[in-house]
Amino acid sequence: MRLLVLRRLFAMMVPALMWGGGQSLSAQNLFQRLDSMLTTNYRKINYDTAYIVRPPTRWTAMARLNVSGALIESEGIDNGQHFVTEMEANSKATFSLGVGYQGFSLSLALNPAKLMGKYNDYELNFNCYRRNFGFDVIYHDAKNFKGWYDQEGMERIELPDGMLHVQTLNLNAYYAFNCRRFSYPAAFSQSYIQRRSAGSFLLAASGMGQRATLDWEQGLQLKMTNIGIGAGYGYNYVPGRGWLLHLSALPTFIVYSHTSMTFGDDRVSMRYRFPECIITGRGAVVRQWGNKFLGLTMVYNFTNIGDKDDFTVYNTKWRIRTFFGLRL
């Protein structure tokens, strides 16, 4: 009787054990398949290995220090008098730690000044750099602009923090024609290594949206939406083993523009005046030895809208990044 009970308990436990083990095995198989797909894609060679190669390791750990800033300038004619304004945001510094696996990366950034309550602005950067295409998305919400207003025949007026609130969205994308030999990621994400010098013509697209509110006299609000297309060129220079210098320029001419300015109860639409443009410039210096690398990158965005004989706005946004990493 006791043997019969044990047999029945064993018969009930075996399917449960098999089911639980099956779950674990299924999850393990799924992970292995996903890892195999990533490895296949990561090691796929559809480029000239005499010029670019993948790093020999799968994992990358990196520490970054980012510094960024923004500048808005305008000039025009008001009541027959020429005026110029300049408003600059306080520069922002963040420190981030990140980890990458076979071309995919995740990082966490901290702003010490914001944590201590000394900085209230918000900035979001999202970057994707691949051999054949890539893009930057930058969103900036800033209230700490300060500067001055200068009009002919008048004394310069200082404009303190808090008077100007600006929300800006910048987007820029590229397509590299010579992606078999030229690699943007080698300079900006280190998921490739550039072995020999190479350049490429680039197709470019840019977009910018901005809302600026100035709390002065009757109040002024400026809204703009711009889309541009163009072409440029990028070059990766390898002066010696382990070194990489990058420089690229992507000018785009605005093909769609909608800009309006509200002053008090009056609303004025700004007409398009050629050439209005969005220019993106990038630069980098990278040094690597063994499984270590360090470097510096720069991204610069410039936009001009309007006519200086009426009213024009110049926007500048920049970011400098230094980094140190290990390939594991």
Side-chain angles (χ1 to χ4, degrees):
M1 184 69 178
R2 194 174 292 179
L3 181 61
L4 180 62
V5 171
L6 289 174
R7 284 180 178 176
R8 287 181 179 177
L9 287 173
F10 182 75
M12 293 173 62
M13 290 171 64
V14 166
L17 289 170
M18 290 180 64
W19 183 79
Q23 267 195 331
S24 176
L25 186 62
S26 177
Q28 185 177 358
N29 287 339
L30 180 62
F31 176 79
Q32 289 176 346
R33 289 180 183 179
L34 180 60
D35 185 62
S36 178
M37 290 173 59
L38 289 175
T39 301
T40 301
N41 181 69
Y42 188 70
R43 297 301 177 188
K44 183 179 180 181
I45 299 177
N46 52 1
Y47 47 84
D48 190 338
T49 56
Y51 285 82
I52 55 178
V53 293
R54 284 287 198 181
T57 59
R58 296 185 178 189
W59 290 92
T60 303
M62 192 181 308
R64 300 186 182 104
L65 175 64
N66 306 292
V67 181
S68 61
L71 175 68
I72 300 177
E73 301 168 283
S74 66
E75 64 175 312
I77 304 297
D78 183 21
N79 296 322
Q81 301 295 317
H82 181 259
F83 71 88
V84 179
T85 67
E86 180 180 296
M87 300 292 288
E88 184 172 12
N90 294 335
S91 59
K92 177 177 68 69
T94 61
F95 178 75
S96 67
L97 294 173
V99 61
Y101 181 71
Q102 300 198 128
F104 291 89
S105 61
L106 181 68
S107 64
L108 174 66
L110 297 175
N111 184 338
K114 192 173 183 68
L115 292 176
M116 292 185 292
K118 298 179 179 180
Y119 186 88
N120 296 317
D121 289 7
Y122 177 79
E123 183 171 335
L124 173 67
N125 286 271
F126 181 73
N127 320 108
C128 175
Y129 296 112
R130 297 177 63 87
R131 284 189 308 107
N132 53 346
F133 74 92
F135 58 86
D136 284 313
V137 179
I138 306 168
Y139 176 73
H140 191 206
D141 188 331
K143 303 182 181 71
N144 65 356
F145 280 88
K146 61 182 178 181
W148 47 265
Y149 172 88
D150 195 350
Q151 183 169 340
E152 235 181 314
M154 293 177 56
E155 186 177 348
R156 174 176 291 191
I157 300 173
E158 297 296 329
L159 303 176
D161 283 355
M163 292 188 66
L164 180 65
H165 179 199
V166 181
Q167 296 168 295
T168 307
L169 178 66
N170 291 99
L171 304 96
N172 55 80
Y174 69 85
Y175 177 83
F177 290 97
N178 188 23
C179 59
R180 286 182 54 82
R181 296 183 174 182
F182 168 83
S183 173
Y184 249 117
F188 290 93
S189 64
Q190 288 70 57
S191 57
Y192 284 86
I193 297 173
Q194 188 85 37
R195 302 177 69 182
R196 297 174 61 181
S197 301
S200 177
F201 286 101
L202 306 166
L203 187 65
S206 301
M208 178 189 170
Q210 186 175 77
R211 175 184 294 176
T213 304
L214 181 63
D215 185 16
W216 187 30
E217 296 182 352
Q218 300 181 53
L220 184 147
Q221 187 176 79
L222 180 68
K223 297 180 181 179
M224 61 177 69
T225 303
N226 304 285
I227 298 174
I229 58 174
Y233 189 79
Y235 193 76
N236 282 347
Y237 175 55
V238 182
R241 184 179 177 85
W243 284 96
L244 172 61
L245 307 178
H246 169 89
L247 193 63
S248 62
L250 296 172
T252 61
F253 292 99
I254 293 175
V255 295
Y256 172 81
S257 178
H258 180 74
T259 306
S260 64
M261 183 172 59
T262 303
F263 184 73
D265 297 327
D266 298 326
R267 183 176 182 275
V268 179
S269 294
M270 295 173 59
R271 294 177 298 172
Y272 173 81
R273 291 174 174 83
F274 182 84
E276 294 182 345
C277 60
I278 302 174
I279 300 173
T280 302
R282 296 185 179 95
V285 180
V286 181
R287 173 73 171 109
Q288 58 184 11
W289 66 99
N291 69 331
K292 296 176 281 293
F293 59 89
L294 61 84
L296 180 146
T297 64
M298 179 274 296
V299 179
Y300 173 87
N301 296 98
F302 173 82
T303 308
N304 73 294
I305 303 295
D307 185 343
K308 65 180 180 179
D309 292 328
D310 182 16
F311 179 69
T312 189
V313 179
Y314 306 100
N315 269 278
T316 302
K317 184 76 177 73
W318 57 269
R319 185 196 72 214
I320 296 174
R321 170 179 291 170
T322 59
F323 56 87
F324 173 77
L326 297 171
R327 294 190 173 101
L328 306 171

